[in-house]
Every structure is written in structure tokens, then in C-alpha cells.
Amino acid sequence: MAKQKVLLLGATGETGSSILNGLQESGNFDIEVLVRPASVNKPSVQKIQEQGIKTRCIDINESSDLVSVLSGIDILISAIGPHDLLQQKKLLQAAKSAGIKRIVPCAFITVAPPHGAMLLRDEKEEIYNDIKFLGIPYTIIDVGFWYQISFPSLPSGKIDYASLMPNNIIHDDGTAPNLLTDLRDVGRFVARIVCDDRTLNKYVYTYGDILSENEIYLIAEELSGEILKPTPMSNKQIEDAVAQAKTALSQDPQDPMKRISVYKSQYQHSKYVRKDNGPAYADYLGYLNARTLYPEFTPISFREYFAEVLAGKGKKPYASS
Amino acid sequence: MAKQKVLLLGATGETGSSILNGLQESGNFDIEVLVRPASVNKPSVQKIQEQGIKTRCIDINESSDLVSVLSGIDILISAIGPHDLLQQKKLLQAAKSAGIKRIVPCAFITVAPPHGAMLLRDEKEEIYNDIKFLGIPYTIIDVGFWYQISFPSLPSGKIDYASLMPNNIIHDDGTAPNLLTDLRDVGRFVARIVCDDRTLNKYVYTYGDILSENEIYLIAEELSGEILKPTPMSNKQIEDAVAQAKTALSQDPQDPMKRISVYKSQYQHSKYVRKDNGPAYADYLGYLNARTLYPEFTPISFREYFAEVLAGKGKKPYASS
């Protein structure tokens, strides 16, 4: 069977890099990467080109002929950044006209309500609605939260090198179960999901482990031998943080850092107060479970990941681009 | 097994009456009807009471204790009118607190995109999103278009008595297939769907027949022996009608008649230009097919319905309330 032709957007980001690796590992795809003219000379793009991956250089906001750009592509995967989500709109009519067989819009977040709980999710819903309006075959893939941003700091400080923002907060009573996926497994799941007929026009969630913060802390103590002293954060504090972040953003709607603060506080609210990011709510929302679909694939466990971090082999997300 | 307790809103409307009949016919439900204080003395409400059906008299906009009103109810079905859709919001938190086992919000229209094609559908989506936000078990039931508003007038005028607005328009080339359900079967489908575990947290579409306008006209000519002279309406004319209706509504947003004009023109656009209201798009959107779920139930065919109308046994919708 001929390899399916995949075009990937956002290949140099954290999620995009994982997807690129996953697609390459699988060997099932003929991969091309869409690159902005402004990014062509970035080291991250050159690294991709050095791997022999073809790049298509296009500014999706400027191009007058996106249909040609997308022609011949079977699967369009977008891992575009959170500030550029709505740019995907420009691609959709072209994707339909070009006869794309499946679009995978930028999802890759926690399981959350389609509207009203997270600004980031609300914007994604706009894209999903546009896809459904056009009737383009699609798959939505959400991955929960990454292991890489789900571990506590240790009193010794020895794993802070791998932490985006070291902290040892426990939200509410620490019992909310959360879908967690190793960032490196995101692409391995994606490579399976995007060539699977069962996932066409469906939502799919992935996870390596489903853990509460209390369970994460127990694993961290057991593997490190250190005693953690968690800082509790009440639901009220989480709600206040959301309200403050929203107020700040409303005063300065174009500030990307203020937008990120809203995203972050709403993630916490959704994960720990609403307790959205678990299998029960995903099932309710109609998601398929990737672990049930691919029983032969064993993702990295949180325990394995944390042992790597303890051994100094972790990598801080967003450290290079 | 104890009968499930159903509370029905909008029982005196066209859809609501059909649902009430369907629930009664099935014998599986302990039925109560929610009635506004302003409607208590209407003949249509008194007719319901005379059938021995319990009514709960509540203004959902005023009641301070909707949780008590909804307590003990297993299934809440809403067939509220199109102008009152957003009033359902007030019921949702109460439905959750009361532990309702399934909510069936007011859907009961054609299959259409969740957003952007029909104002009526967009408002329904708001309610569906609120339901999902709250995590209330739900079923969305869409029925396509009714036979009762899908037949052409005859040159003799002999069936105009049963027609809401006699016309013999053929939209575009008349080939778009449409899901059609006899209004009387809506409730029969609903009675099956709402007590079926397979339909929990799912969308379901019903139909008695799937017919294009050309096929409908052929049946009408064959059964009546008359020769129809259809008036063609181009896609451009349909699009213009939508634009005009929208402009009129924007100038007078509170005018219910102008709102209805938008609904009507957008129905035509969705059914005949976009061709949404067919099984392929319903499948794409993730709907279950009620005919596949209930193969033992034979709904009324369009042919049977039209023969009744020819025999003088039709009934104009919205003729009494």
C-alpha cells in the first residue's frame, strides 16, 4: 500500500516535534512539513530538513492558492501554537477543495467541555465547528496533560532542571484523576490514530497513566526517597486565580502572556475543580479511548518517566525551539 | 420494572403533543407535564388533564425551587417553542442537582451543522453545550422535516386545506435527499429512544422516508392523478432569501415573525443548498440512526400520509393549540 501523505503544521513546537517523531517512527507516512517563510532559516527547521523531510514554505495568511499547497495531501495535521489557532480557519475551505481525506486540527489538550470552561478549548471548538460546517473528514485527538509538566519539585531541588515551573502544589484534596501522556508518546499515538478508520470523524483521548496528584506525589516520594511537603491550593484559590487572570486579560486582550495566564489557571480549574480530564467525562463526551483501540502499544508510564528525570535524563519543555 | 417518570415541557405544541401521545401509547412511562401558570386554563392543557395526566404548574423563569419541581423525575423532555429555547438554561443546573437520569433538550429539527448554518440550530447548540458543561446525561433527537409540511399543492387545490402554506416550489434541481418523519411518529420514536441505554449521551435521527422533492412530486402526481407544475427556486434565490430575512431581523431583533422568516429561509438553505438533512451528513456528525436501532417499528410512509391527505383526513399543523 502506498504511504499516506501527511502535511504537518507546527512541526517545531513541543507537540509538533513529538508528532513528527511518531510519524517517522511508524514508517507508514510520506511526511511533509508546512513552514512559514519567517521560520525557514530557524535551526529547528533546518534540523527537520537535514532529516530529509520535505518542507512546504507558505504563509497561510498570505497565500492565495492554498488549494495547490494542500493538493495531494491525504492527512493534514495541525499542531499550531495556541495563539495562532484561529489561523487554521484559512486552511479549512482549501482542505475541503483539495480533497484532504482527514484533517486533525490542533487539539492535543485535556478533556474539557466544548464551551465555557476553558478559553483555549472554546477557540478550538470554533475550528471544530467550522470543520463540521464544511463536512471535512476529521479526527480530534486530546492527550490530557503531559508527564513533563505534571511532577512536583523535590526538597533537594535536584529535578528542578527539568521543570518548567518548579512547585509542589496539591489542588483541592489531590484526588482528581487526570489523563496524563508522556509528551514523547503523543506522536506515537497520533501515528496510530490518523490511519485508523475507526477514528474517522471521532474524538480520541490518549494516556499513559491516569493519576491523581496524591498518587503522583507517592510515586515521587517512593522513587526519590525524599519527603515532599505539598502546598495546598483550595478550590477557592483556584477560582480566584481564574477570575484574576480573566480580569487582567480583559484589560489587555492582545497580551499573549495574560492569555497564557488564563489558559493556565483554567487548566487547573478544569483538571482539579471541575475534574474534567478523566476517562468518565471523556466517555460522556463521546471520545474513543486510544488505549482500548491500540492494546498492543505500551506507552511510557509515569513511573518510568519520573525515574528518568531522577536519573538526570529529563528535558525541560519549551527549552529550545 | 417500575415505570420511568417523565416530565414533558411544551406538551401542547405540535412536537410536544406527538411526544405526549407516543409516551402514552408505549405504556412505559409515568408522565407528567410542566405547564406555565399563564397556560393552565387553556383548553389544550385542560384536555391533557382530562386524560388523567398530572400537570406541574411552574413558571421556570420565576420559580425559586426548580430542584424540588424536578425531583423524582427520571427523564426530562423539552419540546419548548423556538422562541423560548434559551429558557431551558434555567432548568439545567436544577436538572443536575435533582439527579435527572436523562435530559432530552428541544432538538427535533433537521440534521444541520452545530454552528453557522441555522440560527435555530445555533441556539440549540448553546443548550447542548450547557448540558455537556454540566455533565448531565442527555439524548439529542432530530427528526428531519415533517411530512405535514413537505408536500406540494395540487392544481385542483384539493389538499390546500391541510397545508400550512400551499406552494409547489422545487428548490435547486430537486434532488437533495431529505430525512422526513410523520409528525405523529415523532413521539413514537421518542418513546423508544428515551428508554434505550444505547442512545445515552448520543445524537439520534429519525425518519419515515428519505425523499428528494422530485420523488415527493412523483408520489403526489401518481396518487392524485394530477399533473404538477413546479415553480423552480434557484440556489441564488434561496441565498438571497436568507440574506433578506437576516437583514430584516437585524433591523428588528425582537420581532418573532422576522425571526421565523430567518428560520424558514435557513431551513431551505440547509436542506436544499447545503443538503445537510440527509443520512450521510447525520452519520458524519455522529448521529445514530433510529431505524437501525428499532427495526421492529415501521413508521408511517410518506405515501401513506399523502394518501390520507388526498382522502381528506389531513390536518393542518398549528391549526389549534
Side-chain angles (χ1 to χ4, degrees):
Chain A
M1 206 176 75
K3 287 184 179 186
Q4 297 210 66
K5 197 157 198 154
V6 177
L7 184 65
L8 176 62
L9 266 84
T12 60
E14 296 290 324
T15 294
S17 301
S18 176
I19 293 173
L20 184 57
N21 288 339
L23 296 173
Q24 287 181 288
E25 261 182 35
S26 87
N28 290 330
F29 305 96
D30 182 4
I31 310 162
E32 295 194 24
V33 161
L34 200 67
V35 177
R36 274 177 255 234
S39 305
V40 157
N41 295 317
K42 278 193 187 170
S44 55
V45 172
Q46 293 185 330
K47 225 166 87 185
I48 289 174
Q49 288 170 329
E50 281 159 21
Q51 293 171 59
I53 292 168
K54 247 172 94 177
T55 52
R56 295 191 183 196
C57 179
I58 291 292
D59 185 333
I60 58 177
N61 293 307
E62 300 290 332
S63 174
S64 61
D65 191 10
L66 287 171
V67 179
S68 304
V69 174
L70 298 179
S71 73
I73 300 296
D74 297 305
I75 305 168
L76 175 63
I77 303 177
S78 169
I80 203 164
H83 301 300
D84 299 327
L85 283 175
L86 299 183
Q87 289 187 18
Q88 296 175 98
K89 287 184 181 235
K90 305 202 170 70
L91 286 168
L92 300 181
Q93 182 58 57
K96 180 171 180 170
S97 302
I100 294 268
K101 300 200 184 83
R102 175 175 340 217
I103 188 166
V104 182
C106 189
F108 308 115
I109 60 167
T110 51
V111 169
H115 185 81
M118 305 209 313
L119 175 58
L120 182 61
R121 179 66 185 80
D122 293 357
E123 288 199 346
K124 290 175 190 276
E125 185 73 1
E126 264 193 71
I127 302 297
Y128 306 165
N129 278 341
D130 285 359
I131 289 170
K132 292 172 188 172
F133 181 90
L134 291 169
I136 307 168
Y138 71 88
T139 304
I140 312 289
I141 305 171
D142 280 313
V143 300
F145 225 60
W146 305 335
Y147 293 167
Q148 280 76 1
I149 44 176
S150 297
F151 64 87
S153 63
L154 296 176
S156 66
K158 69 189 262 198
I159 58 172
D160 289 355
Y161 78 96
S163 179
L164 195 58
M165 199 181 290
N167 75 74
N168 52 7
I169 294 168
I170 293 243
H171 303 82
D172 190 23
D173 62 0
T175 60
N178 270 279
L179 302 166
L180 304 173
T181 303
D182 191 299
L183 176 54
R184 296 164 294 177
D185 278 338
V186 167
R188 296 180 182 126
F189 276 116
V190 168
R192 285 165 171 82
I193 292 165
V194 299
C195 58
D196 184 342
D197 286 345
R198 296 172 299 176
T199 64
L200 201 62
N201 307 325
K202 296 275 193 288
Y203 291 57
V204 186
Y205 68 95
T206 76
Y207 64 94
D209 270 313
I210 303 171
L211 294 170
S212 68
E213 287 182 306
N214 290 341
E215 290 168 325
I216 287 173
Y217 276 60
L218 279 178
I219 292 170
E221 290 192 334
E222 185 194 324
L223 295 191
S224 70
E226 300 189 37
I227 304 300
L228 274 68
K229 296 204 179 57
T231 311
M233 187 168 185
S234 69
N235 286 353
K236 173 77 170 57
Q237 286 173 306
I238 301 171
E239 283 159 7
D240 289 349
V242 172
Q244 281 166 25
K246 280 176 154 178
T247 304
L249 179 62
S250 70
Q251 287 161 356
D252 201 352
Q254 301 310 320
D255 184 335
M257 294 314 295
K258 288 185 177 156
R259 184 165 271 265
I260 286 175
S261 290
V262 171
Y263 294 162
K264 280 166 67 177
S265 61
Q266 288 183 326
Y267 264 131
Q268 294 187 342
H269 189 262
S270 174
K271 288 166 65 189
Y272 304 118
V273 181
R274 290 183 43 87
K275 303 180 171 57
D276 289 325
N277 183 42
Y281 192 57
D283 293 345
Y284 165 80
L285 290 174
Y287 280 76
L288 302 178
N289 177 345
R291 296 294 295 276
T292 311
L293 294 172
Y294 315 108
E296 75 293 349
F297 171 56
T298 305
I300 301 163
S301 70
F302 180 79
R303 191 174 278 272
E304 290 171 84
Y305 166 74
F306 194 75
E308 283 178 31
V309 174
L310 279 173
K313 296 179 202 154
K315 188 178 161 292
K316 188 191 292 201
Y318 305 109
S320 64
S321 65
Chain B
M1 207 176 73
K3 288 185 179 185
Q4 297 210 66
K5 196 156 201 155
V6 176
L7 184 66
L8 176 62
L9 265 84
T12 61
E14 294 291 322
T15 295
S17 301
S18 176
I19 293 173
L20 184 57
N21 289 337
L23 295 173
Q24 286 181 289
E25 261 182 38
S26 87
N28 290 329
F29 305 96
D30 182 3
I31 310 163
E32 296 195 23
V33 162
L34 200 67
V35 178
R36 275 176 254 235
S39 304
V40 157
N41 294 318
K42 280 193 184 167
S44 54
V45 172
Q46 292 184 330
K47 224 167 87 185
I48 289 174
Q49 289 169 329
E50 280 159 19
Q51 293 171 59
I53 292 168
K54 246 173 95 177
T55 52
R56 296 191 182 195
C57 179
I58 291 294
D59 186 333
I60 57 175
N61 294 306
E62 300 290 331
S63 173
S64 60
D65 192 11
L66 287 171
V67 179
S68 305
V69 173
L70 298 177
S71 73
I73 300 297
D74 297 306
I75 304 168
L76 175 63
I77 303 177
S78 169
I80 202 163
H83 302 299
D84 299 326
L85 282 176
L86 298 184
Q87 288 186 20
Q88 295 176 97
K89 286 182 182 240
K90 304 202 172 71
L91 286 168
L92 300 181
Q93 182 59 57
K96 180 170 180 169
S97 302
I100 295 269
K101 300 201 186 82
R102 177 173 341 216
I103 186 165
V104 182
C106 188
F108 308 115
I109 60 167
T110 52
V111 169
H115 185 81
M118 304 210 312
L119 175 59
L120 182 61
R121 180 65 184 79
D122 294 357
E123 287 198 347
K124 290 176 191 275
E125 185 73 1
E126 264 192 72
I127 302 297
Y128 306 165
N129 278 341
D130 285 359
I131 289 170
K132 292 172 189 172
F133 181 90
L134 291 169
I136 307 168
Y138 71 89
T139 304
I140 311 289
I141 305 171
D142 280 313
V143 301
F145 225 59
W146 305 334
Y147 294 165
Q148 281 75 1
I149 45 176
S150 299
F151 65 88
S153 62
L154 296 175
S156 65
K158 69 190 264 196
I159 58 172
D160 290 354
Y161 78 96
S163 180
L164 195 58
M165 199 180 293
N167 74 74
N168 53 7
I169 294 169
I170 293 243
H171 302 82
D172 190 25
D173 62 0
T175 60
N178 270 278
L179 302 166
L180 304 173
T181 303
D182 191 300
L183 176 53
R184 296 163 294 177
D185 279 337
V186 167
R188 296 179 182 127
F189 277 116
V190 169
R192 285 164 172 83
I193 292 166
V194 299
C195 58
D196 184 341
D197 286 344
R198 296 171 298 175
T199 64
L200 200 62
N201 307 324
K202 295 274 193 287
Y203 291 58
V204 186
Y205 67 95
T206 75
Y207 63 95
D209 270 314
I210 302 171
L211 295 170
S212 68
E213 286 182 306
N214 291 340
E215 291 168 325
I216 288 173
Y217 278 58
L218 279 178
I219 292 170
E221 289 191 334
E222 185 195 324
L223 295 191
S224 70
E226 300 189 38
I227 306 298
L228 274 68
K229 295 203 180 57
T231 311
M233 187 169 186
S234 69
N235 286 352
K236 172 77 171 57
Q237 287 173 306
I238 300 170
E239 283 159 9
D240 289 348
V242 172
Q244 279 166 28
K246 278 176 156 178
T247 303
L249 180 62
S250 71
Q251 286 160 358
D252 202 352
Q254 302 310 319
D255 183 334
M257 293 315 293
K258 289 186 176 155
R259 183 165 273 265
I260 286 174
S261 290
V262 172
Y263 294 162
K264 280 168 67 177
S265 61
Q266 289 184 326
Y267 264 130
Q268 295 187 342
H269 189 262
S270 174
K271 287 166 66 189
Y272 303 119
V273 181
R274 290 183 42 88
K275 303 178 169 55
D276 290 325
N277 184 42
Y281 193 56
D283 293 344
Y284 166 80
L285 289 175
Y287 281 76
L288 303 177
N289 177 344
R291 296 294 294 276
T292 311
L293 293 172
Y294 315 108
E296 76 292 350
F297 171 57
T298 305
I300 301 162
S301 71
F302 180 78
R303 190 174 279 271
E304 290 172 83
Y305 166 73
F306 194 75
E308 284 179 30
V309 174
L310 279 173
K313 296 180 202 154
K315 187 179 161 292
K316 189 192 292 204
Y318 305 108
S320 66
S321 66

